[in-house]
Amino acid sequence: MAKSLLDSLTSGSTGTVVVKDHLNFWGGRRVQLENAKNLEPVFEPATGRALCDMVPCGAEEVDQAIQSAQTAYLQWRKMAGMERARVMLEAARIIRERREKIAMLEVINNGKSITEALVDIDISWQSIEYYAGMAGTLAGQHIQLPGGAFAYTRREPLGVCVGIGAWNYPFQIACWKSAPALACGNAMVFKPSPFTPVTAVLLAEIYKEAGVPDGLFNVVQGGAETGTLLCHHPMVAKVSFTGSVPTGKKIMEMSAKGVKPVTLELGGKSPLIIFKDCELENAVKGALMANFLTQGQVCCNGTRVFVHREIMPQFLEEVVKRTKAIPLGDPLQEGTRMGALITKAHLEKVLGFVNQAKKEGAKVLCGGEPFTPSDPKLKGGFFMSPCVLDNCRDDMTCVKEEIFGPVMSVMAFDTEEEVLRRANDTTYGLASGVFTRDISRAHRVAANLEAGTCFINNYNISPVEVPFGGYKNSGFGRENGQITIEHYSQLKTVVVEMGDVDSLF
């Protein structure tokens, strides 16, 4: 059914697609819930019209999905790493082949520009391909002991893992979580955000088509209640969550009751430091990338922009000029660079932050207002103009709290010591950035920034080979890179005695 939906998409599909397929998936097929209740409408951000209904899973459905995953896990874990790799490579190939249509459906459900969505889908198949390459390399250690005895270690899967995704990168996050999990021999039950339930089911169908056992990657829809059921289920071995700090704390608390390991990729209020010796053209482009990708709805965005006082006028002039020139509108048009925010409520929340900033003394240099595209079918969409705020202080709400929208707060600084103190004065620690031509300063600043990632002379690039995760309240554990294998596997030590037992009794 998903393939027929993809086949029906055309480049002018904004405002025309209706999703009628079932969005829950386990046992190798889409599942129609018998007692469908508490239906939640899902909206197309660019038009504001209803796209589909999300049917949340209750305790019975969650248990069915997890039981299905457990059965598949028992088969998958026995396969050699190279056997698992071949299946995963086939899944990556299918995604590559269908990238344009998957990206289009992602745009319709999420609101970001097609240009960005295509990059997201490419990162998705690259993630699966990367971990497929690692599946055959998982190995233990041999340790020689006295008297001919020896020990060895085995890297073993955890079991059924739960992935809980966010709405800003629906398909990509599903791949980021499932790829290392499957490479290690686990199964996964994935819960997308209730705002973006559509594309994770495509991934489930692609994994099935590639040859995974039925039930290895399942999708359950729902909100907080469904997430709670997943975290508490006794057959779940691990939970990986991407989302807000308050929800992450609840996930951690619930998982702790079952002594389940968790990976938490949470929010941020990241600093971007621009020194006077920077290449200004690159610094301006970096600031735009750090604030306006996916309509500013990115957890690692560098929304606190610290600029050396001497270059502040030139920086502001250029960044405002380029922000005003960002093409807003139909996210499926190739020329669009900024689409719609995820929901009407979220749009109003972001606009509320701008109004609060003005009350606290910030100056709006551009944007920060509702935007209505000229295309009639987009008049109900959740658009706003990208905003640059000047005259900001460290104690302002717009500087302290995560806005999660296209709002850049700019502040001046005078010395390196001062800006490092201010940059680190936050409960978050997801990302950071520095623009400078001084290589010593670049590495010195990177070493002193309290964040899981530091970009030097760039921002918001996420190669699958590189670990991603936070410090402080931005979470712990990592996604991407080799280290993630350790978060989806466990180590068993086997001790072998080759002689007689030396007993004290």
Side-chain angles (χ1 to χ4, degrees):
M1 280 190 286
K3 196 167 184 183
S4 63
L5 175 61
L6 290 183
D7 289 342
S8 70
L9 296 176
T10 64
S11 58
S13 291
T14 300
T16 63
V17 173
V18 177
V19 178
K20 296 182 179 179
D21 298 336
H22 307 309
L23 299 177
N24 291 289
F25 187 104
W26 57 81
R29 62 183 180 86
R30 291 185 184 239
V31 179
Q32 180 179 8
L33 272 58
E34 293 182 4
N35 298 314
K37 54 185 180 180
N38 302 322
L39 299 182
E40 294 184 21
V42 177
F43 298 97
E44 180 180 23
T47 64
R49 70 181 185 91
L51 176 65
C52 61
D53 285 324
M54 188 275 291
V55 185
C57 288
E60 183 179 349
E61 293 82 19
V62 165
D63 186 62
Q64 289 175 10
I66 291 173
Q67 294 285 353
S68 171
Q70 176 68 17
T71 300
Y73 159 68
L74 295 175
Q75 180 182 345
W76 183 252
R77 73 185 303 248
K78 294 177 182 177
M79 295 170 62
M82 288 298 289
E83 293 177 303
R84 296 197 294 266
R86 280 192 288 271
V87 176
M88 294 178 67
L89 288 171
E90 176 62 9
R93 184 199 65 78
I94 296 169
I95 294 171
R96 263 198 317 275
E97 185 180 87
R98 301 176 193 165
R99 66 186 285 271
E100 288 84 5
K101 295 295 180 72
I102 297 172
M104 287 172 64
L105 196 55
E106 188 86 323
V107 169
I108 291 166
N109 195 188
N110 166 273
K112 69 174 65 184
S113 73
I114 187 65
T115 304
E116 282 192 51
L118 285 166
V119 175
D120 295 352
I121 305 308
D122 284 339
I123 291 173
S124 299
W125 67 254
Q126 288 165 12
S127 177
I128 296 173
E129 193 172 78
Y130 174 77
Y131 285 106
M134 296 192 68
T137 69
L138 303 183
Q141 237 182 339
H142 176 276
I143 303 102
Q144 193 64 47
L145 300 175
F150 64 94
Y152 62 91
T153 59
R154 292 169 48 93
R155 187 157 291 282
E156 298 184 345
L158 300 171
V160 176
C161 300
V162 162
I164 301 177
W167 46 258
N168 53 349
Y169 291 88
F171 192 86
Q172 181 179 304
I173 289 175
C175 291
W176 274 17
K177 294 187 186 302
S178 63
L182 270 56
C184 291
N186 303 289
M188 174 163 278
V189 178
F190 185 80
K191 189 194 81 66
S193 163
F195 297 144
T196 52
V198 176
T199 53
V201 198
L202 300 183
L203 179 62
E205 291 183 318
I206 288 168
Y207 275 135
K208 175 180 171 60
E209 186 178 343
V212 305
D214 286 350
L216 193 73
F217 180 81
N218 297 328
V219 176
V220 295
Q221 303 290 351
E225 182 181 343
T226 306
T228 299
L229 292 168
L230 289 166
C231 291
H232 283 309
H233 199 286
M235 292 180 71
V236 168
K238 176 196 168 68
V239 179
S240 177
F241 170 75
T242 298
S244 70
V245 173
T247 305
K249 290 179 178 179
K250 293 176 183 175
I251 295 282
M252 189 175 174
E253 182 181 355
M254 290 186 291
S255 300
K257 292 179 180 178
V259 199
K260 296 177 174 69
V262 294
T263 294
L264 300 177
E265 197 277 279
L266 308 178
K269 192 70 184 177
S270 301
L272 174 59
I273 303 172
I274 298 173
F275 287 95
K276 62 183 179 182
D277 65 347
C278 70
E279 173 58 55
L280 189 61
E281 168 78 6
N282 281 332
V284 169
K285 289 192 291 186
L288 297 174
M289 289 291 288
N291 281 270
F292 299 138
L293 285 177
T294 311
Q295 299 77 253
Q297 301 165 138
V298 182
C299 51
C300 55
N301 269 359
T303 52
R304 292 185 295 144
V305 181
F306 295 94
V307 182
H308 231 146
R309 194 177 303 276
E310 294 176 40
I311 62 167
M312 178 70 106
Q314 303 98 293
F315 174 83
L316 286 176
E317 179 183 2
E318 193 61 29
V319 86
V320 168
K321 181 176 76 173
R322 297 201 182 192
T323 300
K324 288 180 176 178
I326 294 173
L328 277 72
D330 188 340
L332 281 177
Q333 297 301 312
E334 290 185 3
T336 299
R337 287 296 175 268
M338 185 175 288
L341 276 70
I342 190 67
T343 64
K344 183 179 181 180
H346 186 64
L347 169 63
E348 292 171 350
K349 179 181 176 182
V350 174
L351 293 171
F353 272 108
V354 176
N355 289 331
Q356 180 67 24
K358 289 191 284 188
K359 290 178 183 177
E360 294 179 10
K363 181 180 180 182
V364 177
L365 298 184
C366 65
E369 299 177 340
F371 177 80
T372 304
S374 57
D375 188 337
K377 70 174 179 284
L378 305 178
K379 291 194 181 300
F382 315 132
F383 295 90
M384 72 172 282
S385 51
C387 179
V388 178
L389 297 175
D390 187 19
N391 200 35
C392 297
R393 302 185 311 275
D394 294 339
D395 62 350
M396 285 182 171
T397 304
C398 65
V399 176
K400 293 192 298 181
E401 295 187 18
E402 185 176 34
I403 297 174
F404 223 62
V407 181
M408 179 193 304
S409 299
V410 186
M411 293 160 287
F413 74 92
D414 294 299
T415 69
E416 180 181 322
E417 181 182 15
E418 168 214 340
V419 77
L420 278 170
R421 175 183 53 77
R422 294 168 64 192
N424 289 331
D425 186 18
T426 174
T427 59
Y428 295 108
L430 190 53
S432 59
V434 55
F435 276 82
T436 178
R437 294 179 187 174
D438 184 334
I439 190 168
S440 296
R441 168 181 274 164
H443 290 290
R444 185 171 63 243
V445 169
N448 284 285
L449 283 167
E450 297 167 357
T453 296
C454 181
F455 300 99
I456 296 177
N457 293 331
N458 207 332
Y459 207 95
N460 266 344
I461 56 172
S462 52
V464 297
E465 307 94 325
V466 178
F468 177 76
Y471 283 12
K472 304 185 198 177
N473 279 0
S474 291
F476 53 81
R478 291 295 180 267
E479 295 190 299
N480 294 341
Q482 294 182 30
I483 190 66
T484 304
I485 293 296
E486 296 186 17
H487 298 298
Y488 283 100
S489 62
Q490 53 195 345
L491 208 60
K492 176 182 285 179
T493 298
V494 180
V495 182
V496 182
E497 177 58 65
M498 299 298 287
D500 295 328
V501 174
D502 184 10
S503 175
L504 294 176
F505 305 101

